[in-house]
Amino acid sequence: MALPLLPLRSLSPFPASRRIAPASRTCSRVFMSGPLGAVATGDTFTEKSGYLFELSATEADSLMEYDPSRIATVYKRRPLILVRRLLQIGFTFGRWFALRYLDSVNDRSDEMFKIRAEELRQILVQLGPAYIKIAQAFSSRPDLIPPDYLDELSLLQDRIAPFSNDVAFDTIEKELKLPIDQLFTEISPEPTAAASLGQVYKARLHRGGKLVAVKVQRPGVQAAIALDILILRYLAGVIRKVRKFNTDLPAVVDEWASSLFREMDYRKEADNGIKFRKLYGSLPDVSVPDMYVDYTTSRVLTMEWIEGQKLSEVNDLYLVEVGVYCSFNQLLEYGFYHADPHPGNLLRTYDGKLAYLDFGMMGEFKQELRDGFIEACLHLVNRDFDALAKDFVTLGLLPPTADKGAVTKALTAVFENAVARGVHNISFGDLLGNLGTTMYKFKFRIPSYFSLVIRSLAVLEGIAIGFNPKYKVLGSTYPWIARKVLSDSSPKLKASLQELLYEDGTFRIDRLESLLTESLRAKTEKALVEKPVEDNDPRMAIKQILSFTLTEKGSFVREIILDEFAKGLDALGLATAANMPFATSISLFRMTDEDVINLKTLRHLLLLLSGIRNDESFSQENKRSNPYNLQQLNLDEASLVLGQLSSAQEVLPFLSVFSELSPEMQQRLMSLPGDLARRLISRATARTVRRIFL
């Protein structure tokens, strides 16, 4: 539920004389289609959702949790209501599409475009909450929805017609079991915001005097949504059967419906808000409202009042990056994520923080799926499409029996051009669009969890695109993914990093450099986001690399770098000895192909640690090696390495950073030469023994 964007009207004291009698729970009124006339609890929004009918207390309670069989049982007893709803949906959309068709025939499409957009919004309001929720998912995608339609759909976020205040206040008193003047000293005379599931009032608690937002659920909304979901679920099954989709479309509907039903239980929303605040409320410049569980029931939710502007209406690059970092934590660190981050639920507070609202629709991302998602991103960026095909099996997108060779070729064709432009230019929306044909051809499955994850990421990118058309959510998220891969203690991710860096036994220094470079872009400090550090500052690059590799989290990468340094120094010793006149005929000093690669790796490592970006492709350089001039190549390579080692200009930035490191890091750095010497001696000894006796 979105809170208002502008300063609210002043609060009004509630009359002390106001009292109501306890309401009967023998029946529940639900609006389903057609005119109602004068109905005490009716409003424009609710009246247009349907016919008035009554549910027994047992039936109403059976719809508190999402259960397709129970919903079917309830409406099988009311076939006329089901038929009327189907006719209403078919007629309403049919008439709109017919008008759009006539516009195109009469060459008036452009002229009537804005009018049809407004009509579509009105249709969605008439059809009710389920359709508004679907539309909200698209209201944050300016790259997919035309501007006129986007403007209209955005009105569905918090500008739905409110229902009766009397009904709302009666609901508060009934649910909280106290007269309203004993609950609040003040309450706004009108709702400050109204949405598809409920509306919000601004109030001041009688006890403690805190300003709070009180959300009250619309009457009959669960039964209305249950009927629409029953219809959508049936249509999903028919479409799957007719089109022979491999994806379990009814299961996708079930996942969305389950989340929507949880959203309608405000006690669960309060629990979600408490968990969300505990996990992410301490992140820099993230604000999460406090929940007042003593003033919360299944139909009334009371939370801390937060004011601000929609994030989509303020050009704040820093808060977008804060949102990316928070989303990274939600999806890939803890797996508990906000599945409904439309613009009405993301505010820029007046003190410059990013506030999250509405915790009804949340998702859980299991650890194995989080690891699989990270691996898929790594393999995509590094163009390892064979591994990407295996990742799709892990994520449940492909059956294990799929022809992975054919899938790899298809993925290469789909993603090669997109990835070639660089990770910062990969559009999440484009990837999904390009993948569509391949998904259909190879009968990809869309797991039920996947739809919520994709929606969460797509909405985030859509919000940012609204004021920065070049924004790419994957490009902003990848630095955090790179940092996690380099520093995570998970055995699975360590194995993935090892596999990524060692291709066919050969160390890919270019991939390590890419990961380190990207991980250093993961910043939350406001000054660094608003004024990025220049890429050509070697001193800063050295400091950042050391600050990471000398920490406990960087220990795995540090061990890899030390091993590769030992291999490279060993190869340097061989190259130096092999070029002496007396050593040409001694096999003990013979350089192997592996030694040549290790020598090149050493040179690239020295460039990396001196803060100089190497633009030459390491893998392509290896392919250009000339085996017929190996001795000259070794000599040239060794000369380059020795030149780097003796260059004061490149060593000075490294030394100047030393004093800025913490004492613990300085001590760890001082211990590295001894550790490196032990590895070098061990390697040289093992090689000498092997060549003499084997």
Side-chain angles (χ1 to χ4, degrees):
M1 170 67 66
L3 298 180
L5 309 181
L6 299 175
L8 304 174
R9 68 192 73 183
S10 59
L11 301 182
S12 301
F14 215 90
S17 60
R18 175 176 172 78
R19 299 288 187 274
I20 65 165
S24 170
R25 285 187 57 81
T26 57
C27 67
S28 171
R29 285 184 165 186
V30 183
F31 301 90
M32 295 310 303
S33 74
L36 291 174
V39 180
T41 59
D43 59 87
T44 304
F45 173 87
T46 312
E47 286 175 11
K48 291 185 177 179
S49 359
Y51 285 94
L52 178 65
F53 68 95
E54 293 184 347
L55 291 179
S56 68
T58 303
E59 288 174 326
D61 289 340
S62 70
L63 297 180
M64 292 297 291
E65 301 282 344
Y66 178 65
D67 186 332
S69 61
R70 287 184 183 176
I71 294 173
T73 300
V74 169
Y75 289 107
K76 277 180 181 177
R77 301 192 189 109
R78 294 171 173 79
L80 287 179
I81 292 173
L82 184 59
V83 172
R84 284 168 178 167
R85 184 59 170 167
L86 282 168
L87 290 175
Q88 183 194 24
I89 294 170
F91 176 77
T92 304
F93 277 123
R95 179 180 178 277
W96 186 81
F97 279 111
L99 290 173
R100 287 278 292 152
Y101 175 73
L102 290 175
D103 290 342
S104 63
V105 170
N106 296 324
D107 215 10
R108 299 179 61 201
S109 294
D110 293 340
E111 180 185 343
M112 300 298 293
F113 200 76
K114 190 170 184 178
I115 294 174
R116 298 297 177 230
E118 183 179 355
E119 289 175 348
L120 178 61
R121 175 180 60 81
Q122 294 171 350
I123 284 171
L124 294 169
V125 169
Q126 292 174 15
L127 289 178
Y131 291 90
I132 289 175
K133 281 293 179 182
I134 293 172
Q136 283 177 347
F138 291 97
S139 68
S140 302
R141 296 298 308 187
D143 53 333
L144 302 178
I145 306 297
D148 287 333
Y149 281 80
L150 199 67
D151 291 341
E152 292 295 330
L153 293 182
S154 65
L155 298 178
L156 297 174
Q157 291 161 6
D158 54 13
R159 300 187 191 180
I160 305 298
F163 60 92
S164 162
N165 289 321
D166 286 339
V167 173
F169 295 145
D170 287 352
T171 300
I172 293 172
E173 292 186 331
K174 175 185 173 182
E175 291 291 316
L176 299 182
K177 297 180 173 57
L178 279 175
I180 205 162
D181 61 322
Q182 293 184 25
L183 295 167
F184 311 109
T185 57
E186 297 174 304
I187 191 166
S188 53
E190 298 293 334
T192 60
S196 55
L197 301 184
Q199 59 197 39
V200 171
Y201 294 87
K202 185 177 182 181
R204 188 180 299 278
L205 289 176
H206 196 287
R207 187 175 62 192
K210 296 286 188 181
L211 276 178
V212 294
V214 183
K215 183 159 69 171
V216 188
Q217 193 172 103
R218 285 182 179 275
V221 71
Q222 283 179 310
I225 286 178
L227 177 57
D228 284 333
I229 287 174
L230 180 67
I231 294 170
L232 289 172
R233 194 175 189 277
Y234 171 76
L235 292 176
V238 171
I239 292 172
R240 184 192 183 195
K241 195 171 184 180
V242 172
R243 299 297 300 272
K244 297 180 180 179
F245 286 147
N246 204 40
T247 298
D248 189 350
L249 293 181
V252 173
V253 173
D254 286 341
E255 180 73 15
W256 173 71
S258 296
S259 181
L260 189 53
F261 265 70
R262 289 192 295 270
E263 186 177 0
M264 289 186 286
D265 186 343
Y266 290 168
R267 291 169 302 189
K268 291 181 179 177
E269 179 172 350
D271 291 340
N272 289 338
I274 292 169
K275 183 176 180 179
F276 195 90
R277 181 183 171 94
K278 180 180 178 181
L279 292 176
Y280 315 117
S282 60
L283 294 179
D285 290 321
V286 171
S287 178
V288 182
D290 197 7
M291 300 289 152
Y292 294 88
V293 293
D294 292 340
Y295 296 84
T296 295
T297 68
S298 61
R299 297 182 62 201
V300 174
L301 172 66
T302 305
M303 70 174 77
E304 177 187 357
W305 179 264
I306 292 182
E307 290 190 23
Q309 295 173 279
K310 285 183 180 180
L311 183 60
S312 58
E313 295 179 353
V314 292
N315 190 350
D316 195 327
L317 174 62
Y318 169 65
L319 283 190
V320 170
E321 293 301 325
V322 169
V324 169
Y325 177 59
C326 190
S327 294
F328 162 79
N329 276 273
Q330 292 174 48
L331 288 170
L332 302 180
E333 285 289 352
Y334 298 102
F336 182 70
Y337 63 94
H338 199 302
D340 191 26
H342 66 72
N345 291 335
L346 296 172
L347 299 184
R348 182 191 186 277
T349 64
Y350 294 129
D351 60 351
K353 292 185 178 182
L354 176 65
Y356 282 82
L357 305 175
D358 197 342
F359 306 100
M361 188 175 288
M362 309 297 288
E364 296 276 357
F365 207 16
K366 295 179 180 178
Q367 182 65 55
E368 60 269 22
L369 296 175
R370 301 204 298 267
D371 290 345
F373 187 85
I374 291 172
E375 289 176 326
C377 290
L378 282 176
H379 294 144
L380 172 65
V381 171
N382 288 282
R383 308 185 200 185
D384 190 345
F385 299 114
D386 184 53
L388 185 61
K390 297 175 183 176
D391 295 331
F392 282 0
V393 174
T394 301
L395 292 170
L397 294 169
L398 275 175
T401 55
D403 183 349
K404 295 182 184 62
V407 173
T408 299
K409 290 182 181 178
L411 292 177
T412 303
V414 169
F415 293 139
E416 182 69 42
N417 291 334
V419 179
R421 296 195 299 268
V423 65
H424 308 299
N425 297 309
I426 299 176
S427 166
F428 188 75
D430 290 346
L431 286 183
L432 293 179
N434 295 339
L435 192 58
T437 304
T438 303
M439 293 178 74
Y440 181 78
K441 179 180 179 181
F442 290 98
K443 300 187 181 301
F444 274 49
R445 300 177 297 194
I446 304 297
S448 54
Y449 78 87
F450 199 70
S451 59
L452 290 179
V453 172
I454 294 302
R455 180 172 183 267
S456 180
L457 291 173
V459 166
L460 185 66
E461 183 170 83
I463 291 173
I465 286 174
F467 59 86
N468 182 4
K470 296 181 179 180
Y471 181 85
K472 303 294 185 287
V473 71
L474 184 57
S476 291
T477 306
Y478 187 69
W480 297 106
I481 293 176
R483 176 171 290 190
K484 182 173 178 62
V485 170
L486 291 172
S487 61
D488 199 271
S489 59
S490 161
K492 184 174 177 59
L493 287 185
K494 283 185 176 181
S496 299
L497 178 60
Q498 191 87 13
E499 183 180 344
L500 181 73
L501 296 182
Y502 289 90
E503 186 178 54
D504 298 326
T506 301
F507 181 63
R508 292 291 302 271
I509 178 64
D510 55 331
R511 289 182 174 178
L512 176 62
E513 181 180 12
S514 174
L515 284 171
L516 282 171
T517 303
E518 288 297 328
S519 71
L520 298 180
R521 290 182 55 248
K523 303 180 182 73
T524 54
E525 295 86 350
K526 189 169 186 177
L528 293 177
V529 171
E530 294 179 343
K531 188 178 180 181
V533 177
E534 294 295 328
D535 289 337
N536 59 359
D537 184 351
R539 188 175 174 281
M540 181 59 69
I542 292 171
K543 182 178 178 181
Q544 290 176 327
I545 291 174
L546 289 178
S547 296
F548 168 69
T549 55
L550 293 176
T551 61
E552 191 62 37
K553 286 190 173 182
S555 60
F556 187 69
V557 174
R558 186 170 67 247
E559 290 296 308
I560 290 176
I561 291 176
L562 283 173
D563 279 340
E564 293 305 318
F565 251 110
K567 292 178 185 177
L569 290 174
D570 181 45
L572 177 62
L574 279 177
T576 304
N579 285 285
M580 294 181 180
F582 66 84
T584 54
S585 60
I586 303 176
S587 62
L588 188 63
F589 301 113
R590 186 184 71 254
M591 290 280 289
T592 64
D593 291 340
E594 180 186 354
D595 293 323
V596 174
I597 293 173
N598 290 338
L599 190 57
K600 292 178 180 178
T601 298
L602 177 62
R603 180 162 64 88
H604 284 257
L605 277 172
L606 290 171
L607 285 172
L608 176 63
L609 294 178
S610 63
I612 299 175
R613 181 67 186 268
N614 179 43
D615 295 324
E616 189 174 16
S617 171
F618 182 71
S619 57
Q620 291 299 319
E621 183 185 339
N622 286 337
K623 292 176 182 178
R624 292 197 301 267
S625 298
N626 183 356
Y628 300 104
N629 195 18
L630 190 60
Q631 183 177 356
Q632 183 61 42
L633 178 68
N634 297 342
L635 184 59
D636 293 342
E637 197 70 39
S639 298
L640 287 171
V641 173
L642 290 171
Q644 284 178 254
L645 287 172
S646 61
S647 174
Q649 185 179 0
E650 293 178 11
V651 173
L652 283 176
F654 187 91
L655 295 177
S656 66
V657 167
F658 181 81
S659 61
E660 299 179 18
L661 300 175
S662 67
E664 183 181 356
M665 288 185 182
Q666 290 181 5
Q667 186 177 359
R668 187 166 285 164
L669 182 60
M670 294 293 289
S671 68
L672 293 185
D675 191 0
L676 180 60
R678 284 190 293 273
R679 294 170 193 249
L680 180 58
I681 292 170
S682 175
R683 178 176 176 82
T685 302
R687 185 195 67 254
T688 302
V689 171
R690 188 169 56 251
R691 291 188 177 184
I692 292 175
F693 297 104
L694 297 180

